[in-house]
Amino acid sequence: MQHELTTDQARAIARLRARHPGAELLVHRKPWGLIVEARRGRHTLELGRFDWAGGAVPDRSLRAAA
């Protein structure tokens, strides 16, 4: 089954990229959607969760989640 991001989800990914210029973006496919990870070296800077129903859940602060 083919899935597509909504316009709002694509914009959220573009904002994630803009917040972390030069960072590598990794996409992890899941049955329910995608996890997009911004990384610099071995450090994860930010995560975003995008479900196939059109939802987007921003990452919590890594300091708070640790």
Side-chain angles (χ1 to χ4, degrees):
M1 180 184 232
Q2 293 272 340
H3 299 287
E4 292 186 13
L5 295 172
T6 65
T7 302
D8 287 339
Q9 289 173 325
R11 286 182 180 135
I13 292 171
R15 286 190 301 270
L16 187 145
R17 182 182 295 274
R19 282 192 299 276
H20 304 288
E24 177 182 16
L25 287 187
L26 301 173
V27 178
H28 307 280
R29 290 183 65 88
K30 301 294 180 184
W32 47 262
L34 302 172
I35 296 173
V36 179
E37 176 183 12
R39 290 184 66 91
R40 189 165 287 121
R42 296 186 317 184
H43 300 282
T44 298
L45 304 171
E46 186 174 346
L47 299 170
R49 183 174 64 179
F50 304 92
D51 65 46
W52 297 132
V57 179
D59 182 33
R60 291 185 299 156
S61 166
L62 291 179
R63 185 177 306 145

